[in-house]
Amino acid sequence: QQQVKQSPQSLIVQKGGISIINCAYENTAFDYFPWYQQFPGKGPALLIAIRPDVSEKKEGRFTISFNKSAKQFSLHIMDSQPGDSATYFCAASKADSNYQLIWGAGTKLIIKP
Amino acid sequence: DVKVTQSSRYLVKRTGEKVFLECVQDMDHENMFWYRQDPGLGLRLIYFSYDVKMKEKGDIPEGYSVSREKKERFSLILESASTNQTSMYLCASSFTDTEAFFGQGTRLTVV
């Protein structure tokens, strides 16, 4: 019930295309869903996050879509660029666990020029 | 800018050695975390701390211990290093219910 399942494990997208990464969770008590971006040799950094009171959040080319009934959320990267090549992690947390993050396994994204 | 600094980028240690990984944050965050990152397994929580001298086990605490004597510093200790502890170790800090900030990671190799 604590798991967050992330797919795909790896993804190759042409420059200018849309990259889509999906996550699914079981625990309906989760109420915070961030996405982190990690470049090689660096620690992860927060990219965008959503709470379940909204179905979508957009920041520039990055959008989180959230489906509460399906217990799924996804990251969409529009007009993908080579600089977006990184590993992306979804996560989930809840208030009664002090917002300890439960992580997906990660998606390695490669944008081909 | 928030800064989380890990003491070493790369470490090579021998099997059986006691290893100390240090992490310091400069934003007065209450929460600090130690993760290990392995390919295909994502980030796995080793230990976390919500206050000075307080620690909680994460998902994979076996073979590790931690120390938090000051709010800004959180140390990870490998009591007797083994080859299966070769990994990338990441420290993070946060206020409750906010963004977690990560250090750059320590790549530990145990030979």
Side-chain angles (χ1 to χ4, degrees):
Chain A
Q1 254 221 333
Q2 282 289 87
Q3 280 187 326
V4 175
K5 294 185 180 177
Q6 184 173 346
S7 63
Q9 199 170 22
S10 62
L11 181 62
I12 300 174
V13 175
Q14 288 294 130
K15 179 183 173 183
I18 302 173
S19 303
I20 302 174
I21 303 170
N22 300 298
C23 284
Y25 63 97
E26 288 295 322
N27 192 335
T28 55
F30 286 143
D31 60 2
Y32 177 64
F33 302 89
W35 284 90
Y36 280 75
Q37 180 188 54
Q38 184 181 28
F39 294 106
K42 304 282 187 184
L46 179 68
L47 183 64
I48 187 171
I50 198 168
R51 294 194 184 270
D53 51 343
V54 297
S55 61
E56 187 175 282
K57 183 173 181 181
K58 187 175 181 179
E59 289 184 4
R61 295 183 295 108
F62 300 91
T63 300
I64 299 180
S65 295
F66 184 80
N67 186 329
K68 192 173 181 178
S69 60
K71 291 185 283 186
Q72 294 175 348
F73 58 110
S74 59
L75 176 69
H76 296 235
I77 306 174
M78 311 300 288
D79 187 26
S80 299
Q81 299 297 313
D84 297 330
S85 297
T87 299
Y88 292 81
F89 293 95
C90 64
S93 67
K94 55 190 170 79
D96 66 5
S97 69
N98 236 329
Y99 287 97
Q100 179 189 331
L101 289 169
I102 309 299
W103 296 85
T107 297
K108 186 171 183 178
L109 174 65
I110 297 171
I111 307 300
K112 284 196 154 183
Chain B
D1 267 0
V2 172
K3 214 167 185 182
V4 178
T5 303
Q6 294 183 229
S7 53
S8 304
R9 289 296 303 272
Y10 301 95
L11 272 180
V12 180
K13 296 292 181 180
R14 294 195 181 278
T15 301
E17 274 193 80
K18 192 168 185 174
V19 181
F20 294 86
L21 303 183
E22 306 285 344
C23 175
V24 176
Q25 51 97 0
D26 66 359
M27 276 300 290
D28 203 35
H29 286 162
E30 298 103 353
N31 305 331
M32 295 191 75
F33 308 85
W34 275 106
Y35 294 92
R36 66 177 280 178
Q37 182 176 16
D38 300 287
L41 297 178
L43 279 70
R44 292 182 292 166
L45 182 64
I46 305 171
Y47 268 97
F48 57 98
S49 170
Y50 294 130
D51 202 351
V52 175
K53 295 193 188 291
M54 179 274 182
K55 60 186 178 185
E56 294 282 343
K57 292 180 181 179
D59 300 319
I60 51 165
E62 296 78 19
Y64 303 95
S65 63
V66 290
S67 172
R68 193 168 181 198
E69 296 295 319
K70 293 185 177 181
K71 192 174 186 180
E72 68 271 17
R73 187 179 296 269
F74 193 34
S75 302
L76 179 69
I77 303 152
L78 285 67
E79 298 291 343
S80 176
S82 64
T83 54
N84 63 12
Q85 291 178 309
T86 291
S87 186
M88 170 69 84
Y89 290 88
L90 289 163
C91 174
S93 72
S94 73
F95 291 118
T96 301
D97 188 21
T98 62
E99 175 181 358
F101 292 86
F102 283 81
Q104 78 277 25
T106 297
R107 185 163 293 283
L108 173 67
T109 302
V110 182
V111 297

